[in-house]
Amino acid sequence: MLANVLTDLVLPGLVAGCIYALVATGFNVLDISTRTVSFAYGDYIMWAPMAALIAHTHLHWPAALCILVGVAAAGGVALLVEYVAVRPFIDKPREFVWILSTLGASVILQRSAFLPFNGEQRAFPISLPIGFFRLGVFSFSYQDLLVIAAAIVVAIGLYVVYRRTHLGRVLVAVGEDPDGARALGISPEKMSQVSALLASVVAAITGLVVAPFFLVSPHLGFQLLFIGFAAATFGGLGSIRGGYIGGFVVGFLIQATGVYGSSEWTYVVVFGTLLVLYSVRPWGIYGVPPARAV
Amino acid sequence: MSDKSAGLEVSNLGVRYGAVVAVENVSFEVVPGQCVGIVGANGAGKTSLLRGIGGLTKASAETRLRFRGQDIEKWTAVNRAKAGLGHVLEHRHIFPALSVHENLDIVPRKPGVDGAAQFDRVLALFPELHASMRKPAGALSGGQQQFLAFGRALMAEPSILLLDEPTTGLAPILVQRIAEVVLALVKEGKGILIVEQALSVVEVTASVVHILSHGKFFATIDPARVSLAEAAHKAYFL
Amino acid sequence: MSALKRFWGSPLGHGSIAAALLIAAIGHWGTSSYLAYMVLLVCIYGIAALGLNVPAGMLGQLSLGQGAAFGLGAYAAAVLAMDYGHSVIVCLALATLIGGVLGVIMAAPSARLGVMALAIVSLGFTLVMQQLIILFRSITGGADGRYGLTAPLLQGQVKMSPDQLGALIVLVLLMCYCAHWYFRSSTVGRTLIAIRDNEIGAASLGIGTYAWIVFAYAIGSAIGALAGACYAFLNVSVNPDSFGTPLSVLFLLMVIAGGAGTQFGPLVGSIVVGLIPILLSAHPNIQPFLYGAFLILTVRLMPRGIIRRSAAPVYGYFRGNRSREAATGLSPAVRDATAPVLEVKGLERHFAGITAIKDISFSLAKGEVVAIIGPNGSGKTTVLNTICGIYPPHGGSVVLNGRRLDGLSLAKIASAGIGRTFQVPRLFQGLSVKETLVLAQQRAHGGFAKTNVDTIFGFLAQIGLQEQHFQREVRELPHGQLRMLEIALAALRGADILLLDECAAGLSAHEMDLMLVLLRKLAKTGTSIIIVEHHLDLVRAIADKVYVMNIGRMLWSGKPEALEESAEVRAAYLGEI
């Protein structure tokens, strides 16, 4: 019985948790530096495997090159959206206009993904060979391990960047006080670009590692968006740590719903949990209640 | 006689927010080695004036700003700061999540500048910060935060420093420290523009004081020769 | 105004003409024609946009849930008509009701949490709705949907023909348009815009936020569901592909591009946005690109939308109250020093470990004017903020006429009889001066017993706001008029106590004189006033007592004449090093 829980719930839940932790992390990276979140972020994630798929299917490029194309696509898309839809509003994050502009960008990004394959869902061909790694009761496929490794690598990488590099501290500073940063000669606009690029790296890793589990379609980003939001909110928006914890909570919830109920209830369950969270502790585990300035 | 072209010349400064005129037709200059004061009641336009000079708020089209021989009125705030125009904002903006050390360290340095020597200079001026170097800046007291904000602006080695109400909310003994620091900086050859609502620091440190009322200069006096309190009285009844 | 002009100006007037033209045009083209279908679709979208205008336009919330409400209404209508045999009218009515319930469910848990939370929750609802449609496939037909939706107009009649349905849809639009018009011109509409434009300013008029947000979402979703039900009948079918997040974004675009919160905006937006598929019917794939681009361009270039005038007319109320004070013939209240109207004891408040104020105690008698002075940063504004409830005190108490106020919200304290003005005037950009004045009158505390409306209008006239200027939007007013208007609002509300924070800042000498006259009149009729001020002349002219603060504590108190002689005041305030 315990072995069943392990193989049905805990281990797959762990993998799912890593996936959603990665999605939440992208939001947190953007929030840390700009106090905004791109509603098009899911589409950055989607465009990495989509671009790789285009290179693979239409151009027949080797796998490694396709991966690079995917990374470049995520970066290009993120920078474009940052320039058009985010940067004009970084001085007024509390007016939330950027929600609308990034939504508009999301609509455009999703629609352009219909063009290469007429909107069909495709399997993602670039993945690790099928095989399992077994250790006693633990059994992971190679792709599972890649997901877990990716989550660990991203966590360590961001820790190093934010805590140990000069750039990381600047990225935190501009999010806390853009005017104060300007008065010192630090450009919040430039840092907004850098954070978009950083988030796009996380997005590319997420998309390419996760694509073999889902079908690649224009809707992929959107499917991940809401759950990623829920995970980030759970942990407290702006906290990398919180994003990981939130991701795991959500991952286990979704897995449990699939195993003990039906996966058709996923959104309902996640949404219900979010409503409960909002009633109890709206700013999440590591978030701080907003201070009021009069 | 200091070199005029190395200083800041402000001509016809105007700042508007939609229909509301905050600052109009303000002209003055600050040269290195001089402290210029601007006093005014709340609502007179002091912060708008400094933000217009620093670049954080867009000044009107007629504004002309000349800094170290260059016309900077079209420059971004970031570029003005990099060129040596320091700005200490009101309400002590510091980065609360970063430590004191990180707050000071984060300031971009010009190539070839010795970071350690700069740290030493700042800590010499504000020895109170030494004990709190690893503390997050958000945990400091009001006075310490003000010193940190000051020290941070100095890390960029500005030639002209804009100070927006640096003594707000500070106990008299700390106000005295601020005055000492300003005098020391002036002696070093920096140009200081200090804007205040309370008169005390300005009286002691500035060689020229402009009195701001309703966005315009009401009078300009030499505080050594004329009582600032009396001159300011008509402008804002203080 | 001539009868013709009045007719043309009223929504029923010009609306019925437009409706009649529309019905005629649809009849001419034939209801089965593509053009007629598109026009009816735009009408339906217009209904949904009018509904969404309430939470998203007037209240300024980014609701992404209108697609969910639309879908819910469509499915509700389908099920009610096909499985329960209800008539069209009943289906529309019930769908509207169900939509309202959805709105309440969306907003109730999230209304206190801000724009971002509501946006995410409303987004989530749309996704959940789609999943629920698949899950309950026995009722909803799952991914295939349901077909063959027809019903009679009223119970017992023969099924509606497409012509009749078309006319009904246009009439529903007309009805919503008129209701929306009067909604915006009513107290409710003004209240929502006030909350949107300055939540704290609205609270200081006694307007709480939570209930209004839930109410606005309920209305928005109800009308969205009504539109969805019409859509179901128009298409004779429902399926899940038509309702999703893209539809929510589309409705939001219509409201924002048209002019958020305005009376014409949502319709203009739905026509402009609705034109896109009509003009580009040959290229259906390009349309989403245009919607996305339109959205981005609108928020960057035209943030207020096509219809830029946000203020609305006021009907009726204004003339009603001006003679009330004259009628009651009130005599000036006698200052009673033995019965303080406000008592503050040991007030304390800190921020992030730094003590902002401590040991603040004083009392206020009826009709007394008290000034709090001190250098910047001494905590004067914090005292006002703590008394009026912007933040709760960390120690001490505030008692108004025997009732404890500390810990209550700003809106509740304002309703209890305290008025407040702020260092930066907190007024409502999108309302006209007239709307603002009426709003304050309608939120009056205890009637107008203390305040002479004519006095206040006379005062406003002297600063340049005569009645003919009342239709100006507040965003157009210069600084001095904004300040005076804010005080006028507090006075119009008939507050027992006025807290004025640097009300003279930025005023000319002439304006200050006028302010003085008004404040004296208010004090004479029994209003107690606390002013935080730097202008000592104003303080000497009006204050009965002065409190001096320094570094969070009360340094000195006494009569204004004694101020200059006090050595401590000179040292702290004028500051001698």
Side-chain angles (χ1 to χ4, degrees):
Chain A
M1 189 51 209
L2 191 62
N4 271 348
V5 172
L6 205 59
T7 50
D8 292 343
L9 178 61
V10 174
L11 301 184
L14 196 64
V15 177
C18 286
I19 295 176
Y20 296 116
L22 282 172
V23 179
T25 299
F27 290 133
N28 287 325
V29 166
L30 290 174
D31 180 79
I32 287 174
S33 295
T34 61
R35 290 284 174 261
T36 68
V37 175
S38 174
F39 272 64
Y41 182 71
D43 303 297
Y44 309 168
I45 299 181
M46 178 269 291
W47 261 104
M50 181 62 78
L53 192 61
I54 295 174
H56 183 266
T57 313
H58 291 308
L59 298 174
H60 305 291
W61 284 356
L65 202 53
C66 294
I67 301 281
L68 280 175
V69 168
V71 174
V77 152
L79 286 174
L80 187 61
V81 174
E82 188 274 337
Y83 178 67
V84 170
V86 177
R87 203 185 305 174
F89 307 112
I90 44 176
D91 279 316
K92 295 183 276 212
R94 295 275 133 228
E95 285 178 31
F96 296 103
V97 186
W98 45 266
I99 295 184
L100 289 172
S101 55
T102 55
L103 265 178
S106 170
V107 169
I108 294 179
L109 285 179
Q110 271 194 48
R111 182 41 73 150
S112 33
F114 271 86
L115 298 174
F117 302 106
N118 268 326
E120 289 166 18
Q121 293 177 331
R122 291 288 186 102
F124 191 64
I126 304 173
S127 64
L128 292 181
I130 310 255
F132 286 84
F133 170 77
R134 284 178 230 275
L135 184 65
V137 286
F138 296 102
S139 169
F140 290 109
S141 73
Y142 290 143
Q143 196 67 26
D144 287 341
L145 289 176
L146 185 61
V147 170
I148 298 177
I152 296 177
V153 163
V154 166
I156 296 179
L158 288 179
Y159 174 81
V160 167
V161 167
Y162 283 123
R163 296 285 173 93
R164 296 260 175 271
T165 66
H166 185 262
L167 177 67
R169 279 180 234 124
V170 175
L171 284 171
V172 171
V174 294
E176 294 200 302
D177 188 353
D179 267 351
R182 282 194 185 94
L184 295 173
I186 299 171
S187 166
E189 287 79 12
K190 221 182 248 159
M191 288 305 121
S192 169
Q193 260 185 316
V194 170
S195 84
L197 207 54
L198 190 59
S200 81
V201 168
V202 177
I205 294 175
T206 310
L208 291 169
V209 154
V210 154
F213 291 99
F214 302 95
L215 291 168
V216 179
S217 84
H219 299 297
L220 177 63
F222 196 69
Q223 289 164 355
L224 295 171
L225 182 83
F226 177 68
I227 301 187
F229 255 146
T233 310
F234 203 91
L237 194 60
S239 159
I240 305 281
R241 254 184 320 182
Y244 271 79
I245 295 183
F248 284 120
V249 168
V250 166
F252 278 108
L253 258 177
I254 292 180
Q255 190 61 27
T257 309
V259 168
Y260 300 116
S262 143
S263 60
E264 289 177 326
W265 284 90
T266 307
Y267 280 131
V268 179
V269 169
V270 172
F271 184 67
T273 315
L274 192 64
L275 284 184
V276 170
L277 176 72
Y278 276 150
S279 321
V280 172
R281 195 186 158 88
W283 46 88
I285 299 178
Y286 287 105
V288 274
R292 190 129 59 129
V294 181
Chain B
M1 199 43 186
S2 345
D3 182 4
K4 255 195 173 186
S5 67
L8 173 70
E9 278 172 56
V10 177
S11 318
N12 234 323
L13 174 67
V15 177
R16 285 191 270 277
Y17 304 107
V20 179
V21 176
V23 177
E24 204 177 2
N25 208 347
V26 161
S27 304
F28 65 98
E29 63 184 24
V30 182
V31 297
Q34 179 192 34
C35 177
V36 172
I38 297 183
V39 295
N42 283 353
K46 304 188 295 294
T47 295
S48 303
L49 191 152
L50 278 190
R51 285 179 70 97
I53 297 177
L56 293 176
T57 301
K58 203 153 186 256
S60 64
E62 322 82 62
T63 305
R64 294 284 166 268
L65 298 171
R66 213 168 160 73
F67 179 53
R68 296 172 85 169
Q70 291 181 293
D71 290 319
I72 64 167
E73 62 265 358
K74 301 244 183 307
W75 290 20
T76 63
V78 173
N79 287 338
R80 294 183 204 190
K82 283 194 183 143
L85 187 62
H87 187 175
V88 179
L89 303 168
E90 68 167 336
H91 304 314
R92 299 170 206 136
H93 284 225
I94 41 91
F95 302 122
L98 301 181
S99 72
V100 171
H101 179 93
E102 287 170 337
N103 262 273
L104 293 170
D105 193 42
I106 205 178
V107 180
R109 282 193 269 281
K110 300 192 190 111
V113 165
D114 180 4
Q118 271 185 318
F119 260 95
D120 289 339
R121 267 204 297 276
V122 167
L123 287 174
L125 276 172
F126 300 109
E128 298 91 340
L129 291 177
H130 211 94
S132 324
M133 285 302 259
R134 302 268 158 231
K135 265 197 198 167
L140 297 177
S141 72
Q144 286 175 319
Q145 285 184 354
Q146 186 67 58
F147 292 151
L148 177 58
F150 231 118
R152 236 175 34 158
L154 289 173
M155 289 294 284
E157 305 226 315
S159 48
I160 303 269
L161 197 52
L162 310 174
L163 305 175
D164 198 343
E165 296 201 46
T167 66
T168 299
L170 295 186
I173 189 165
L174 294 176
V175 173
Q176 189 153 3
R177 285 280 289 118
I178 300 277
E180 285 166 10
V181 169
V182 170
L183 288 171
L185 291 173
V186 167
K187 226 192 197 153
E188 258 182 51
K190 301 220 189 296
I192 307 264
L193 177 62
I194 178 167
V195 161
E196 274 285 358
Q197 178 247 328
L199 304 180
S200 52
V201 168
V202 173
E203 242 178 340
V204 167
T205 57
S207 55
V208 172
V209 179
H210 306 281
I211 301 170
L212 187 68
S213 174
H214 294 82
K216 297 199 187 67
F217 277 167
F218 174 85
T220 297
I221 63 151
D222 176 354
R225 289 198 213 128
V226 178
S227 156
L228 182 56
E230 278 177 33
H233 180 91
K234 276 208 204 73
Y236 62 134
F237 317 108
L238 202 60
Chain C
M1 203 192 283
S2 72
L4 189 64
K5 233 180 169 183
R6 240 206 316 261
F7 174 79
W8 189 246
S10 88
L12 201 54
H14 59 257
S16 6
I17 307 249
L21 285 172
L22 263 178
I23 295 179
I26 291 172
H28 172 75
W29 293 322
T31 28
S32 45
S33 74
Y34 178 72
L35 201 50
Y37 176 78
M38 290 310 294
V39 168
L40 283 173
L41 194 62
V42 170
C43 290
I44 290 176
Y45 284 169
I47 296 171
L50 284 170
L52 186 61
N53 196 30
V54 174
M58 296 185 209
L59 199 53
Q61 300 287 326
L62 287 172
S63 168
L64 292 170
Q66 197 69 334
F70 194 82
L72 183 65
Y75 271 91
V79 169
L80 286 168
M82 292 203 278
D83 295 343
Y84 294 92
H86 284 300
S87 63
V88 170
I89 295 289
V90 171
C91 288
L92 293 185
L94 284 179
T96 308
L97 218 62
I98 294 174
V101 171
L102 175 71
V104 172
I105 297 178
M106 261 202 281
S110 9
R112 289 194 205 280
L113 302 174
V115 180
M116 184 73 176
L118 276 164
I120 295 180
V121 168
S122 51
L123 177 72
F125 250 108
T126 315
L127 293 171
V128 166
M129 192 71 47
Q130 285 188 306
Q131 227 179 17
L132 288 176
I133 289 176
I134 307 284
L135 278 170
F136 290 100
R137 48 176 68 85
S138 55
I139 305 177
T140 65
D144 299 320
R146 298 187 64 170
Y147 296 87
L149 173 60
T150 53
L153 178 64
L154 292 170
Q155 203 66 32
Q157 290 179 350
V158 73
K159 304 227 186 256
M160 278 187 97
S161 72
D163 287 326
Q164 292 172 321
L165 185 66
L168 179 67
I169 292 177
V170 173
L171 287 176
V172 170
L173 175 62
L174 176 65
M175 187 184 77
C176 289
Y177 174 68
C178 295
H180 174 271
W181 179 285
Y182 289 115
F183 184 91
R184 169 65 185 91
S185 310
S186 71
T187 304
V188 177
R190 287 189 281 274
T191 304
L192 292 179
I193 301 244
I195 297 176
R196 176 194 75 184
D197 284 345
N198 207 312
E199 195 177 332
I200 293 186
S204 65
L205 291 182
I207 298 171
T209 312
Y210 179 76
W212 287 109
I213 295 182
V214 178
F215 172 70
Y217 266 83
I219 301 259
S221 301
I223 305 297
L226 174 62
C230 293
Y231 180 80
F233 283 115
L234 181 69
N235 277 328
V236 192
S237 66
V238 282
N239 73 73
D241 293 333
S242 344
F243 321 115
T245 312
L247 191 62
S248 289
V249 175
L250 201 65
F251 286 139
L252 208 51
L253 174 63
M254 290 178 198
V255 170
I256 305 242
T262 65
Q263 284 162 308
F264 293 111
L267 277 190
V268 171
S270 57
I271 293 174
V272 169
V273 173
L275 274 178
I276 293 178
I278 296 181
L279 293 175
L280 291 172
S281 52
H283 310 279
N285 290 321
I286 302 188
Q287 291 165 16
F289 286 108
L290 282 180
Y291 296 141
F294 202 165
L295 193 52
I296 298 178
L297 285 173
T298 304
V299 296
R300 282 197 62 172
L301 301 176
M302 270 196 318
R304 275 166 46 206
I306 296 174
I307 304 287
R308 305 184 76 227
R309 180 171 169 86
S310 152
V314 175
Y315 295 112
Y317 191 88
F318 212 40
R319 301 253 159 250
N321 286 282
R322 304 190 59 185
S323 53
R324 194 152 157 192
E325 206 259 33
T328 54
L330 218 54
S331 58
V334 175
R335 270 177 222 172
D336 185 359
T338 59
V341 83
L342 180 74
E343 273 210 75
V344 174
K345 286 208 178 95
L347 209 57
E348 186 180 326
R349 170 83 203 177
H350 32 264
F351 297 105
I354 301 178
T355 303
I357 58 172
K358 199 170 160 74
D359 289 334
I360 305 294
S361 304
F362 64 95
S363 63
L364 198 59
K366 197 167 157 111
E368 188 181 3
V369 178
V370 146
I372 302 182
I373 67 173
N376 275 356
S378 51
K380 311 185 292 294
T381 300
T382 307
V383 170
L384 292 189
N385 286 348
T386 319
I387 292 177
C388 74
I390 291 184
Y391 13 79
H394 286 132
S397 67
V398 177
V399 176
L400 173 69
N401 284 327
R403 177 182 166 197
R404 268 192 84 143
L405 293 183
D406 41 288
L408 295 179
S409 68
L410 170 58
K412 287 220 172 67
I413 293 184
S415 301
I418 294 193
R420 170 79 201 266
T421 70
F422 296 86
Q423 279 183 348
V424 176
R426 291 191 172 272
L427 292 170
F428 319 114
Q429 308 273 18
L431 292 180
S432 65
V433 173
K434 186 169 185 178
E435 286 186 288
T436 314
L437 292 170
V438 173
L439 186 64
Q441 286 181 297
Q442 289 171 323
R443 311 286 322 181
H445 164 70
F448 298 94
K450 283 192 275 301
T451 320
N452 185 332
V453 176
D454 284 319
T455 308
I456 296 178
F457 280 27
F459 163 74
L460 287 174
Q462 283 181 297
I463 56 149
L465 278 177
Q466 285 95 7
E467 274 198 59
Q468 67 258 35
H469 300 133
F470 279 1
Q471 92 287 6
R472 273 198 208 139
E473 286 186 329
V474 169
R475 73 177 97 237
E476 301 167 41
L477 299 184
H479 179 77
Q481 287 183 346
L482 284 176
R483 278 229 180 274
M484 308 300 242
L485 184 57
E486 212 194 8
I487 297 182
L489 288 186
L492 268 179
R493 275 189 66 236
D496 286 323
I497 302 188
L498 281 185
L499 306 180
L500 306 178
D501 200 346
E502 298 197 36
C503 56
L507 293 185
S508 68
H510 171 66
E511 286 167 337
M512 246 188 287
D513 286 336
L514 292 172
M515 164 108 66
L516 207 56
V517 169
L518 178 67
L519 293 180
R520 281 207 185 101
K521 277 213 176 103
L522 290 172
K524 255 219 201 104
T525 53
T527 308
S528 316
I529 305 180
I530 304 179
I531 59 168
V532 162
E533 251 318 316
H534 289 286
H535 287 67
L536 286 195
D537 275 14
L538 181 66
V539 169
R540 278 190 219 103
I542 195 174
D544 301 313
K545 196 167 178 186
V546 176
Y547 294 93
V548 180
M549 284 190 66
N550 195 28
I551 317 176
R553 286 185 171 60
M554 226 150 233
L555 187 69
W556 181 93
S557 67
K559 291 218 180 290
E561 303 83 62
L563 190 60
E564 310 263 280
E565 280 106 57
S566 160
E568 309 134 294
V569 171
R570 290 198 80 81
Y573 197 8
L574 300 174
E576 271 142 15
I577 305 181

